[in-house]
Amino acid sequence: MKKRITAPREVLHELQQDYFICTKCKICQGVHVQFCPESRFWRNCPSGTRFRWDAYYASGKMEIARGLHINEIEPTESMRHILYTCMLCSSCQEQCYEVKQLHPTRVFELMREKAVREGWGPMPEHAALAESLEENDNPFGADRKKRGDWAKGLSLKSLPKEKAEVLFYAGDAYTSDPALRHAVRAAAQALLEAGLDVGTLGAREISDGSLMLMLGDRDYFETYAAQNIETFNGLGVKTIVTPDTHAAWVFKEEYARELDPDIKVLHISQLLSRLLKKGQLAPQKEVPLKAVYHDPCKLGRRFDIYEAPRKVLRAVPGLELLEFPRATFNSLCCGGGGGVRYAFPDYALWTAKERLFEAEWTGAEAIVTSCPYCVQMFNQAVETTGSDMKVYDLAEVLLESLGKEV
Ligand code: SF4
Ligand code: SF4
């Protein structure tokens, strides 16, 4: 029997209690309204709001899962569109779990795995991502030999040649997008400023595979997971920290059972907040900015990490922290979720623009977030609308307040 490398595999029919029980109450279409002051922002399912058919909301996809289960319907082209325009943002699950204890987003993830197994998923546009993984060990076409270039000039140790207590895993987006270089360098530099013993794998780092998992290709994901787990366990590190929110998600949710139990996995916002609390980082420089914090779906609703990034921002002198009407568990996806943007860029951008509109509504001068995909989406929205909004990664703001540059 094939060894299970990651979290125990589930198949769709194991969640039949969920999709058979769904009562189509449609609570999952919106936010927890008691925590959202403006009715303009009560709708919170990007695919349902954009495509305006019931099938694009969670209730419709639950019905499709039920229909597939009892062989009442066959997969169609429209069904694939419905499944792959879902951002897997977990907003529906956040709502439904409170009242019905169902897991709609998990159902949609497993529907994608079924689609890939049966050959009707993912979208043809996603093929380029898998081809790039084959060729470059990252999905975004970046040259594998240059993966470590972002760290040039920083005093990070080179693993596994040298030993370090902390592995800094930069991730696919930060290592391939030059526009994110300042942000990833800021994150690593902040850890060095705190006196931590940090190393990276440089060009030896490979993809975490999270994008393939989101698209439903668990087998492909597991090849990356297996290789990474073996590498990580052999490094002798005590902590793995990453600024890549999707990597943090798979490390914690999927890799954890095979990782050395002595290795802690942290998202960068958690570690920075702890270093501030211990006094190992002491921001002193004023950063006069009215900033609104955007909760990335995988960090917030998936891991309940809402406070750590806010603690970091509250420690920055001069920064006024604002909140979106849809904040914390009510957060709207940035448009970068579920691998949607690689097949449906216009719809992804439409979602990012809706979030940008909400940021402007708060009176903020800047959106700060802690996920490379959110930063990319907001930058794209700002560029196409000509908005004056600035977009920052959390670590960039913190490093500025430490009076340091990278
Ligand atoms: S997924 Fe949950 S909240 Fe949504 S319609 Fe079904 S039962 Fe209601
Ligand atoms: S995961 Fe997000 S996009 Fe998908 S159905 Fe639920 S709320 Fe809508």
Side-chain angles (χ1 to χ4, degrees), residues 21-29 58-59 62 92 95-97 99-100 102 104:
I21 285 170
C22 169
T23 53
K24 316 293 176 282
C25 65
K26 303 183 182 178
I27 287 169
C28 51
Q29 294 184 359
S59 50
M62 294 291 255
C92 49
Q95 298 302 315
C96 183
Y97 194 80
V99 284
K100 306 272 174 82
L102 308 186

Side-chain angles (χ1 to χ4, degrees), residues 28 44-48 56-58 61 85-93 105 108 347:
C28 51
N44 212 36
C45 169
S47 54
Y56 287 87
Y57 288 105
K61 286 193 280 284
T85 48
C86 172
M87 299 276 180
L88 299 179
C89 69
S90 300
S91 177
C92 49
Q93 189 155 303
T105 310
F108 311 147
Y347 153 54

